[in-house]
Each structure stands twice: as structure tokens, then as C-alpha cells.
Amino acid sequence: MTMLTYTLLTDPAPLEASAAGRPPSTGTVYLVVTNTGQQAAFWSTITVQVPVGNGAGDLTPDFGKIKPKGEYGTWSGTLSSVSVQPGPQGSNAFQVTAPGGRASFAPGDHMALTLEVTVAPAAGLAVLKVTENTGRTRTGRLSSSVAAVSLVKTAAKEIPPPRDFRPDKAMLDGTDTLTLSWEGSDDFSYEILFPGGQRFIASNERSWSPAAADAPTRVTTYILVATSRSTPQRKHYLTTTVQVRNPVLETLTATTGIDTPWVQGATDATKGRVTFTGTGVEISNNSGGQSTVTADKADLTGLNTEWVQGKSADDGWISFPKEGVNVRRGSGHDWGSVFADKADLNGVNTGWVQGKSTDDGWISFPKDGLNVYRDGSRSWGNVAAEKADLNGVSTKWVQGRDDRDGWIDFSYYGVNVFRHDEGTKRWGVIGVNRIDHH
């Protein structure tokens, strides 16, 4: 039976065996030595033999990679380091030697030996062999006693999949920088897929921001692909979606409709705006003022407007007062002209009417009737007609169509018939077929 008591602890507890294709599993083994007796024990050496190999009963596959250290603590709380040295070549053991070759191990004192190890790949129970060289007196005979202390190695657990793939902002404005983050093990390699590209992530990184050229311009879904380094290889896929407040779209097809308070151009030069009000549509320019609608053709049921003008500022224009329509020329208020092939009217109120040329005859409408003028002047003109059906004619004379025809004038006394004779008033002849009088 040993004079000292040995307790084995591990971190993590239990230790996890290493797995093929993954980084080696590591852990720390703590061997706590205490004196639980009623009197001091004197010790010279304590040797800890470690099972080395890849089997279920082995702690580690490589003894040379174990990192040992030791510490001694008294009942009063004083701590001091102790030297831990490898044992003889091939022994796979560590040995602790008491200061001065022999030292008292008082009741309540303790010693902690720490071994940082790479854990063997097979799960199972590993037993460490502890040999103490102790005695009851400072100078008496020492004896060797052996104790077995054990620990459990569990099979490697499945690597937990990555989680919590998230953007730092769910809605991006034009100047915002996007950062995607996630939680995951170093046992995975990571890449991020997005429309038009993919990016591989360094093994120690758990966040990524797209470069300016890859920044989202519309709603974008990112895919995190985590690939295990174990055999067989496993892949995990996580997705997250980012919204853009002012998205850029190549085309937009809406099969049911679009509900929006306004639509605006994409650049400063074309930021005209269409606003949908309760009564219709308002068109604004890039400064917020009322603007222009340009179209090849407008098919309307009705149009309410103060005026209509041609496309040029010098074109004629039409205004709509209560009384009817005003036709103006140029950009001023001078009266303009109406050109038409035909006018079908119920009535015309006008000061005069003229042919299309300024040399054409024209008609004015004084209060007492109708004046016919020639050549755009105020010289009397002629009325030409095939037939006239009149209730009465007031005239000084009547002549045939030719200048050489006879003519009739109407004097105070009656009717005079003249023949054509170089402007002289020579009596003419009345020719009749029959005279029937009472």
C-alpha cells in the first residue's frame, strides 16, 4: 500500500480520442498527490509511467511530445515548483525527485503533476502506473510502492456544424459596408458563394466583407459552405439574405401590380420623379418642380389644361378661356392663324375673310351687309356665280359678263338700256320673244 494518495483528473473530461483526417485531439492530465494520513511521509522519488501507443489502453502515441510540469503546495498555502524529468530511455516515464534527496510530505500537503498530451486515436481506458519511494522517518529505510490510476478516452465526437451565419445589417443603404459572420470549428474549411462569384476564407477567420466590386446592389443570398477535413468528408450549407434599400435591377416584371408612392430615375441627371397621388399622377423634375411628359402619341378620353403649344418655344399655342379658344403665334400673345382643309361650323363671327394669298380677294362684314374687295386692297371686287336666287338686288347698274356686253343702269326715273360703245351712253336694244301685258 502506498503512503500517498493519487487522484487523476483530465481537461477536457473525459479526454476525446484523436480522429483520422482531423487535427489531433489534445488534453491535460492532472495527477494530484496528497498525504491523507495522520503523520508525515518522507519521499525521495515519484515515478509516473505513461502507456504509449495508438491502442485503446494507450494515453498518447508520442511520449516525446508530452509537456510535464510540477508544483508542490503546503497546508498553509505556500506553492513551489518541483522538477519533473524524463525517466530512463524507453521507460516512457517521468520522475519527480524530492529536494535534497528526501523531503517531508506533511498531512494536508499536495503535489500536482501536469502532463499536456496528444491523445491516442483509440477510445478506451488508459492506466498510468505510479511508483513512490517513501518512508516514515527522515533517515530510515525507504520502500517502493505502486499505485494504478486510470482515465477514460471517449471516441471522437462529430464536429458540430457551423451556425449563426448572419449579416451585420439586414438592410443596406448605398454607402454601407456588409460584414458576414458565423460560428464554427477549425476542423472545417470555409467558402462563401454569392451571385457571380465565390470567396475562400482563411481557416482562422469567422467573418468576411465583400469588396466594393462584389457589394450587393439588390436583394442577395449568400451561402456559407463548410467542408470537413475528416474522412469521409462532410459539407454543411448555411444561407443568409441581405436586402438593399435602393436595389439596382436589369428588368422588373410584375404580374399582379406594383404598389409604390413614387418612381424615380437612377442617376442625378435623370432623377425625374413620378408620384402617385389620390387623384392621379404628378411628374417632377430632378429639382422637385413640375416637369414634362414626352411621348410619341397620347390617347386620352379628355384633357384639362390651360394651354397647348408646339414643341418649340416659338411655335404657336392655344389657350382655353371661358368663351372658347384663343390661337396665338410664337411665344407672345399676337393672334395666330388656323390652317385646315375644311371647316364645318354652325357659325363664324369674324371681321373679314380672305383667300390664302395676301393678293386674293377678301370680304368684310359691315353692319349694313357685305363688302367684296379685290387684290388684298379696298378696290371693289367681283362676285362670280353660276346662278343667284335673291329676294332683291340694290345696284347702280348691271352688265353682261364681257366688257363689250350691253348694260343697264337704274336712274331716278326708271331703267336705261345701253349698248356697249366705247364708254358712251348710246341706247341699246331690248330683245324679247313675247310681251304679255294687261
Side-chain angles (χ1 to χ4, degrees), residues 170-182:
M171 178 68 73
L172 296 178
D173 287 315
T175 59
D176 288 342
T177 299
L178 172 65
T179 300
L180 301 175
S181 303
W182 64 95

Side-chain angles (χ1 to χ4, degrees), residues 93-405:
F94 293 101
Q95 182 172 288
V96 183
T97 302
R102 184 180 297 196
S104 172
F105 207 121
D109 289 355
H110 72 277
M111 181 189 301
L113 303 181
T114 302
L115 306 178
E116 294 181 6
V117 300
T118 297
V119 183
L125 182 68
V127 179
L128 280 66
K129 180 181 177 182
V130 181
T131 302
E132 66 176 29
N133 195 11
T134 56
R136 286 299 179 187
T137 65
R138 185 176 297 275
T139 58
R141 181 184 175 192
L142 299 176
S143 61
S144 295
S145 301
V146 178
V149 290
S150 60
L151 57 85
V152 173
K153 300 175 298 170
T154 61
K157 297 183 179 67
E158 182 177 345
I159 306 170
R163 60 185 178 85
D164 198 17
F165 185 42
R166 63 199 182 276
D168 61 336
K169 302 178 187 70
M171 178 68 73
L172 296 178
D173 287 315
T175 59
D176 288 342
T177 299
L178 172 65
T179 300
L180 301 175
S181 303
W182 64 95
E183 306 295 332
S185 170
D186 288 340
D187 293 325
F188 290 102
S189 59
Y190 298 97
E191 63 179 316
I192 292 179
L193 308 180
F194 54 91
Q198 68 181 114
R199 294 293 180 270
F200 292 96
I201 311 301
S203 60
N204 60 335
E205 297 291 336
R206 296 296 179 270
S207 65
W208 174 78
S209 294
D214 297 327
T217 58
R218 55 182 173 269
V219 58
T220 301
T221 296
Y222 293 90
I223 303 174
L224 175 68
V225 182
T227 304
S228 70
R229 297 187 177 92
S230 60
T231 303
Q233 194 176 72
R234 292 179 296 116
K235 286 182 178 287
H236 297 276
Y237 299 86
L238 284 79
T239 63
T240 191
T241 300
V242 176
Q243 303 283 340
V244 176
R245 194 177 304 280
N246 296 307
V248 177
L249 304 174
E250 285 83 9
T251 60
L252 174 63
T253 301
T255 57
T256 303
I258 298 176
D259 291 337
T260 180
W262 53 266
V263 177
Q264 180 172 285
T267 64
D268 289 339
T270 60
K271 278 192 175 177
R273 177 178 290 195
V274 179
T275 303
F276 301 92
T277 67
T279 56
V281 175
E282 292 181 356
I283 308 297
S284 305
N285 59 26
N286 57 5
S287 299
Q290 288 188 339
S291 189
T292 303
V293 176
T294 303
D296 180 58
K297 182 179 179 181
D299 186 353
L300 308 172
T301 301
L303 177 65
N304 290 344
T305 183
E306 294 182 3
W307 53 269
V308 177
Q309 186 177 21
K311 290 186 175 181
S312 172
D314 293 331
D315 288 346
W317 57 285
I318 303 172
S319 64
F320 302 91
K322 292 182 179 179
E323 298 78 16
V325 175
N326 291 331
V327 178
R328 310 286 185 180
R329 70 173 65 207
S331 58
H333 282 73
D334 295 335
W335 294 112
S337 300
V338 176
F339 298 91
D341 181 58
K342 181 179 179 181
D344 186 354
L345 308 170
N346 291 328
V348 177
N349 290 341
T350 182
W352 53 270
V353 177
Q354 186 178 20
K356 291 186 176 181
S357 173
T358 57
D359 294 335
D360 288 346
W362 59 287
I363 303 171
S364 66
F365 302 91
K367 290 183 179 180
D368 49 350
L370 183 74
N371 293 333
V372 179
Y373 299 104
R374 70 172 65 200
D375 303 331
S377 67
R378 287 190 174 270
S379 299
W380 294 113
N382 297 323
V383 177
E386 181 180 356
K387 180 179 180 181
D389 186 355
L390 307 171
N391 291 328
V393 177
S394 295
T395 182
K396 290 183 178 182
W397 54 269
V398 177
Q399 185 179 16
R401 291 186 176 181
D402 194 289
D403 289 342
R404 295 174 296 177
D405 290 346

Side-chain angles (χ1 to χ4, degrees), residues 13-49:
L15 294 179
E16 184 175 298
S18 296
R22 289 166 52 177
S25 174
T26 59
T28 303
V29 176
Y30 299 96
L31 178 64
V32 181
V33 185
T34 57
N35 182 0
T36 59
Q38 300 297 316
Q39 55 184 326
F42 292 88
W43 67 284
S44 175
T45 60
I46 296 176
T47 303
V48 181
Q49 186 178 12

